[in-house]
Amino acid sequence: MALPSDFEWGFATAAYQIEGGVNEDGRGPSIWDTFTHLEPSRTNGANGDVACDHYHRYEEDLDLLAKYGAKAYRFSLSWSRIIPLGGRNDPVNEPGVAFYNKLIDGLLARNIMPWITLYHWDLPQALHDRYSGWLNVEESQKDFERYARVCYERFGDRVKNWITLNEPWVTSIHGYSKGVDAPGRSSTNKDCAEGDSTTEPWIVGKSLILSHAKAARLYNKEFKPRQGGRIGVSLSGDYYEPWDSAEPKDHEAAERRMLFSTGWFANPMFLAQDYPAPMRAQLGDRLPTFTEAEFALLRGAELDFYGMNYYTTQFARHRTSPAPDEDYIGNVDECPENNAGISVGEPSGIRWLRSAPQGFRKHLVRIYKKYRKPVYVTENGCPCPGEDKMSREESVKDVYRQQYFSDHFDAIIGAIQDGAKVPGYFAWSLIDNLEWSEGYGMRFGVTFTDYNTLERTPKQSALMMRGMIADRMNAKANGGHA
């Protein structure tokens, strides 16, 4: 077995993390602009005002993609750059549209396929001010659908791959339960002045599911017939193994934990079904219900692919005490080591990520068998141990990252062997960038960014990626990949 000969691969980024130019050419503020300027800082003193200055240096970044041999590039649009006030009756910002047209045309000129994410966490601040943003289920759907329409109309003649949302779990939980991401609402986080962690994440989750469905149904009905593209969604979620493999309750805990992350969104989005039963059982009437009309909307929002953002695996251990009202993980303990003290994988440069390709293989197979859609890996990557303290010269010799990619490519081949369809892969990320509330310390990029000069320097992993993929595409011809 090998990677398919038409395997589509490349790198991924997100608008707020790289663009900068936040006050230029009519762009309006997003909730992340507001959040990164709070005092005292909640983002380690970092903001996206300049970020990697991709807004002015995009040609250089497209040249990097070409140099690395990428076939595709996944990037997100800034909603407030395109519609500064965000709403369905608000004006479109033509300079913002022009920027993305230049980006798309620059990719196509280099034979790189654009993959657009409509929403990667940066809600226009005006919508949050106007009606509380994602906390307003009815209004947010209407505005997101109009935003999607503008994007399909302006870019869909050339863009054939659409992702509605990136990681709605993170938006819901980090933004409205833990309060560590914009808009920073929480009743459990002492830094937050407002919010209700027991109810708001579930309301926001429903808003995101239905907004996604409106955008997908719109594409299917009005744009796909003439533009011929595909639409999907990118969902996050670790893979979970039982902490004690001999304990049935830990097997149940591992499955429940995955239902509380991927199942929460995938069951409605891919199966047009209610939330997973364990969520309904634990959360009761705090989990909003879907009406018959909403189920009909979900059925009309058929998706072409499942976008998987995968970084690591964990062990899940059942709890015997009842779930607190703030719990959002299914009343389990998450552990990096099992009951025998065996680590799930080699630690990386960030506390929550260990390299666990064996979990990746199982996750790909599980998701494919459950939802029966081709699985595109829309994010996968890591920072090297200690990389946040490294010089440029040290960072570019990213041996840990090279091994991480190599092992995860082999896991994809294993998953294909096990019956999954995995036609494409995007490494996170093209360049070191603003890692949200972590600031600029974490380096997930395959390109080193000097934040003083903004000079880009390819890391060894970036230059080796094409060869790693080619070797595995040719494995069949060479008698299998070792």
Side-chain angles (χ1 to χ4, degrees):
M1 298 296 287
L3 293 176
S5 57
D6 58 351
F7 192 69
E8 197 164 357
W9 68 275
F11 304 90
T13 62
Y16 189 71
Q17 292 180 271
I18 66 167
E19 281 184 3
V22 296
N23 298 316
E24 290 189 51
D25 298 330
R27 177 188 178 277
S30 78
I31 56 173
W32 270 95
D33 292 293
T34 304
F35 189 71
T36 58
H37 285 277
L38 291 175
E39 294 289 346
S41 176
R42 308 265 293 276
T43 53
N44 289 314
N47 62 60
D49 292 3
V50 176
C52 304
D53 198 30
H54 174 74
Y55 190 68
H56 299 109
R57 297 167 186 257
Y58 68 92
E59 290 278 9
E60 183 184 345
D61 293 335
L62 299 187
D63 286 343
L64 286 173
L65 287 164
K67 178 176 183 167
Y68 300 161
K71 292 183 174 183
Y73 174 50
R74 176 188 171 219
F75 61 99
S76 78
L77 306 177
S78 163
W79 185 345
S80 61
R81 199 181 286 289
I82 293 172
I83 308 172
L85 297 175
R88 71 207 82 134
N89 299 313
D90 293 321
V92 171
N93 179 40
E94 294 302 336
V97 172
F99 169 69
Y100 292 117
N101 274 324
K102 288 185 292 189
L103 194 57
I104 291 161
D105 291 343
L107 287 164
L108 294 173
R110 293 165 176 83
N111 292 315
I112 299 167
M113 288 295 287
W115 281 63
I116 283 184
T117 305
L118 291 172
Y119 185 74
H120 199 127
W121 308 353
D122 46 355
L123 184 78
Q125 180 65 38
L127 298 186
H128 188 76
D129 295 341
R130 192 177 291 169
Y131 55 70
S132 302
W134 296 120
L135 285 167
N136 190 318
V137 177
E138 293 307 318
E139 295 296 318
S140 57
Q141 289 178 62
K142 293 172 186 169
D143 286 340
F144 188 70
E145 183 177 29
R146 192 272 182 135
Y147 163 57
R149 177 183 291 281
V150 170
C151 296
Y152 303 151
E153 285 173 346
R154 300 304 191 92
F155 311 126
D157 57 328
R158 289 150 295 151
V159 175
K160 304 303 171 192
N161 302 284
W162 295 94
I163 292 165
T164 54
L165 306 175
N166 181 76
E167 299 186 344
W169 185 93
V170 176
T171 299
S172 307
I173 297 302
H174 286 200
Y176 297 84
S177 175
K178 297 165 76 174
V180 294
D181 283 358
R185 294 178 64 87
S186 172
S187 53
T188 61
N189 181 337
K190 62 177 176 24
D191 293 332
C192 301
E194 50 193 4
D196 182 349
S197 301
T198 69
T199 57
E200 289 190 2
W202 316 113
I203 295 166
V204 168
K206 182 176 181 183
S207 286
L208 291 164
I209 289 165
L210 295 179
S211 295
H212 148 87
K214 282 270 173 77
R217 184 179 69 175
L218 172 67
Y219 188 75
N220 289 341
K221 277 174 66 178
E222 294 188 34
F223 293 92
K224 187 187 280 186
R226 65 174 189 266
Q227 293 180 350
R230 301 180 289 184
I231 193 158
V233 65
S234 286
L235 301 182
S236 55
D238 298 345
Y239 187 74
Y240 285 83
E241 298 272 17
W243 181 74
D244 178 352
S245 60
E247 171 54 74
K249 286 184 178 170
D250 284 354
H251 283 269
E252 287 169 23
E255 177 64 19
R256 189 167 65 251
R257 179 65 189 90
M258 290 188 279
L259 291 175
F260 264 75
S261 52
T262 53
W264 174 9
F265 295 96
N267 282 20
M269 289 174 170
F270 286 91
L271 305 176
Q273 289 179 1
D274 192 22
Y275 303 110
M279 292 185 72
R280 186 64 71 198
Q282 180 178 314
L283 298 166
D285 60 8
R286 287 184 288 124
L287 194 60
T289 53
F290 293 110
T291 64
E292 271 314 306
E294 288 165 347
F295 278 122
L297 167 62
L298 290 165
R299 286 192 292 273
E302 178 81 16
L303 298 176
D304 299 299
F305 62 89
Y306 184 112
M308 176 189 286
N309 292 1
Y310 172 87
Y311 290 93
T312 195
T313 289
Q314 299 187 60
F315 294 106
R317 179 173 57 197
H318 76 282
R319 289 181 184 162
T320 51
S321 53
D325 282 351
E326 299 80 32
D327 179 75
Y328 53 82
I329 59 175
N331 203 29
V332 306
D333 292 320
E334 300 176 296
C335 312
E337 294 167 353
N338 67 10
N339 64 330
I342 296 166
S343 173
V344 80
E346 287 294 316
S348 72
I350 193 166
R351 62 198 173 281
W352 52 263
L353 196 164
R354 299 188 183 202
S355 181
Q358 72 286 355
F360 185 38
R361 177 175 179 168
K362 292 177 185 176
H363 198 29
L364 287 164
V365 174
R366 177 183 183 273
I367 291 295
Y368 178 72
K369 290 192 168 160
K370 208 168 169 61
Y371 301 111
R372 309 309 299 184
K373 297 289 182 187
V375 181
Y376 282 85
V377 180
T378 43
E379 286 182 27
N380 178 241
C382 62
C384 298
E387 194 172 7
D388 54 327
K389 305 282 193 297
M390 288 181 188
S391 65
R392 173 172 55 189
E393 291 66 34
E394 293 167 321
S395 180
V396 298
K397 298 174 186 158
D398 56 351
V399 175
Y400 180 94
R401 184 177 290 107
Q402 294 163 44
Q403 189 64 51
Y404 181 96
F405 285 141
S406 177
D407 292 344
H408 284 71
F409 292 146
D410 289 343
I412 293 173
I413 292 173
I416 292 170
Q417 221 165 338
D418 297 339
K421 284 190 179 150
V422 190
Y425 175 95
F426 294 87
W428 186 269
S429 173
L430 174 63
I431 49 178
D432 293 332
N433 56 52
L434 174 67
E435 275 302 322
W436 306 107
S437 52
E438 297 280 348
Y440 289 103
M442 285 301 133
R443 292 185 177 270
F444 274 84
V446 299
T447 310
F448 181 89
T449 306
D450 181 322
Y451 292 114
N452 294 316
T453 65
L454 297 172
E455 184 184 356
R456 281 86 155 125
T457 307
K459 300 179 190 178
Q460 289 175 358
S461 60
L463 302 170
M464 293 170 69
M465 185 85 69
R466 184 190 337 213
M468 286 184 188
I469 302 252
D471 287 350
R472 286 163 178 81
M473 279 183 184
N474 299 330
K476 207 176 284 183
N478 300 335
H481 177 71

